[in-house]
Amino acid sequence: MDFELTKEQSMIRNMVRDFAEDVIQPRAVEMDTKAEFPLDIFEQMGELGLLGIPFPEEYGGSGGDTLSYAIAVEEIGRICGGTGLSYAAAVSLGASPIYYFGTEEQKKEYLLPLAEGKALGAFGLTEPNAGSDAGGTKTTAVEDGDDYVINGEKCFITNASFAKTVIVTAVTGKNDKGKNIISAIIVPTDTEGVKITSNYDKMGVRASDTAEVILDNVRVPKENLLGDPQKGFKQFLYTLDGGRISIAALGLGIAQASLERALNYAKERKQFGKSISDFQAVQFKLADMSMEVELARNMVYKAAWLKDHNKPFTKESAYAKLYATETAFRAANQAIQIHGGYGYMREYEVERYLRDAKLLEIGEGTSEIQRLVIARQLGC
């Protein structure tokens, strides 16, 4: 067992950490307060090759691996959860399905600009009545000549307002058992009938764009169908397995930030004539936070490693997502407690970590769904 990062992975970590601290950190509070999506920062990330880390160079990527990408998400999330979420969604959900299941033509036309960082992508799965029950999708795609005509509504879609393409899940027919066939279709956002609005006033991850997508008789050519039309559901389950690694990495980043802030504050804050880090009650909090952060890191990295080595990773990605995101919430909560009244104030930033962390227990499969996935993998 080798827990050392490779030279390339260490270089990526250092590069992303420097970029996050130098470019994102000075604006993190403002982006949260104003709920501003930092398009210029994503352009810079594209120029650095961050949006193409896990994709081959032939498709505009950097030729890196899942672990390198997870480390990048962790480092960005450590500074700004909202920026980290949009980064994770752009790669794992907006671009990865095209790499996994797309034709060569689709990869050249749609993946290339995403991996090169010249465009953003989004993934339209969630609907007003289809969240955890993704099989309850109501959006339809009806064949009409050489086209699909799509009608439906998607909600809580990350990056949609700034995306060039949205991969939409839609019912395309019935199988032999009478169940809905759900397929994935690439929809350019400038297609007639696509309406995207971003009116959500969110509790956290406010630097990330979250939008509603209305599809009103949207006509796209049949060649925009992604992968096997009969296996659309399985395809997006695989996509979500990979996406869970990145959300786990984001949780890890927030947990790490919470630990660092709490530790630094505890050493500086004086009460009863000494630093509060000298009090056992605070020491135990910091010890638990440190332990959980490291355990989360090991699980996130292991899930990424399994994926990179083409081994089954469904259960491990659920472990990682569940544990790392719940760790993020606990760590942020304890960081606020250690800060006392100051932790409740925006300027100390730990309250933002808590607000950002909460979404991670909901998005890309709630904590309850992760437990269900794990139980099923155990044969329950």
Side-chain angles (χ1 to χ4, degrees):
M1 297 174 72
D2 183 2
F3 290 93
E4 290 292 323
L5 298 179
T6 65
K7 183 180 177 182
E8 290 79 10
Q9 289 162 347
S10 295
M11 285 173 60
I12 287 172
R13 181 184 62 187
N14 294 336
M15 176 189 70
V16 179
R17 180 175 294 175
D18 290 344
F19 175 80
E21 291 178 350
D22 295 345
V23 178
I24 302 174
Q25 178 70 65
R27 293 169 55 188
V29 173
E30 182 184 14
M31 290 189 300
D32 172 69
T33 305
K34 296 182 177 179
E36 286 181 348
F37 179 78
L39 186 59
D40 60 318
I41 287 177
F42 274 84
E43 289 169 352
Q44 292 178 67
M45 287 163 62
E47 290 167 6
L48 287 172
L50 302 189
L51 289 159
I53 285 178
F55 306 119
E57 292 178 12
E58 64 184 295
Y59 300 124
S62 307
D65 54 16
T66 308
L67 181 52
S68 298
Y69 162 56
I71 290 167
V73 175
E74 176 189 349
E75 291 298 333
I76 294 169
R78 178 176 150 263
I79 300 301
C80 176
T83 306
L85 178 68
S86 275
Y87 171 58
V91 178
S92 291
L93 302 181
S96 289
I98 302 173
Y99 173 58
Y100 297 149
F101 310 114
T103 62
E104 280 301 309
E105 291 77 15
Q106 289 171 340
K107 290 176 184 178
K108 287 287 191 289
E109 183 173 355
Y110 298 113
L111 178 58
L112 204 63
L114 299 176
E116 288 177 343
K118 295 176 180 176
L120 288 174
F123 188 72
L125 171 62
T126 305
E127 299 183 2
N129 293 303
S132 296
D133 178 19
T137 297
K138 293 286 188 290
T139 299
T140 59
V142 178
E143 292 185 39
D144 182 24
D146 294 330
D147 298 333
Y148 279 111
V149 178
I150 309 171
N151 283 282
E153 179 182 353
K154 302 292 182 178
C155 61
F156 309 143
I157 308 304
T158 305
N159 296 340
S161 303
F162 298 87
K164 186 176 180 181
T165 51
V166 178
I167 298 168
V168 170
T169 54
V171 176
T172 51
K174 300 276 188 183
N175 64 13
D176 298 337
K177 297 178 181 177
K179 287 192 173 183
N180 286 339
I181 296 171
I182 299 177
S183 307
I185 302 169
I186 302 168
V187 179
T189 53
D190 60 1
T191 307
E192 186 178 352
V194 176
K195 183 184 178 185
I196 299 173
T197 54
S198 182
N199 297 319
Y200 299 119
D201 189 7
K202 296 177 297 185
M203 169 182 164
V205 291
R206 290 169 59 81
S208 177
D209 173 66
T210 310
E212 178 186 59
V213 181
I214 305 292
L215 303 134
D216 183 13
N217 287 321
V218 173
R219 187 176 288 270
V220 296
K222 281 184 181 175
E223 53 260 34
N224 283 28
L225 183 75
L226 189 59
D228 188 332
Q230 301 288 329
K231 297 179 180 176
F233 197 78
K234 286 185 177 180
Q235 287 174 183
F236 70 68
L237 288 181
Y238 180 84
T239 298
L240 292 176
D241 282 344
R244 282 166 185 159
I245 296 173
S246 64
I247 298 301
L250 179 54
L252 173 59
I254 293 173
Q256 179 68 43
S258 300
L259 172 62
E260 290 171 3
R261 292 272 178 153
L263 182 59
N264 290 337
Y265 182 82
K267 289 177 178 178
E268 294 169 1
R269 174 70 166 162
K270 297 285 197 296
Q271 289 284 276
F272 305 104
K274 56 184 177 180
S275 298
I276 64 171
S277 62
D278 290 336
F279 295 108
Q280 193 176 67
V282 175
Q283 290 173 352
F284 281 8
K285 288 184 188 297
L286 291 166
D288 284 345
M289 290 166 71
S290 177
M291 173 184 69
E292 290 194 16
V293 168
E294 192 58 25
L295 291 173
R297 180 170 288 111
N298 284 341
M299 196 65 248
V300 173
Y301 287 15
K302 180 181 179 181
W305 182 90
L306 288 170
K307 185 174 185 293
D308 284 331
H309 287 79
N310 296 313
K311 296 177 184 292
F313 66 95
T314 296
K315 181 173 63 178
E316 288 77 10
S317 68
Y319 284 160
K321 200 273 187 185
L322 175 61
Y323 188 74
T325 58
E326 294 195 346
T327 291
F329 189 81
R330 285 192 296 267
N333 196 32
Q334 291 290 28
I336 292 171
Q337 194 72 18
I338 289 169
H339 278 72
Y342 293 108
Y344 210 67
M345 304 301 160
R346 280 186 184 272
E347 64 188 285
Y348 283 80
E349 297 193 60
V350 286
E351 60 82 34
R352 170 163 58 87
Y353 300 158
L354 185 74
R355 290 185 288 108
D356 288 353
K358 185 60 213 174
L359 177 77
L360 307 187
E361 296 181 322
I362 299 169
E364 291 232 23
T366 62
S367 290
E368 291 75 18
I369 289 294
Q370 302 312 313
R371 289 181 168 92
L372 191 62
V373 169
I374 293 165
R376 286 177 176 172
Q377 289 291 311
L378 294 174
C380 296

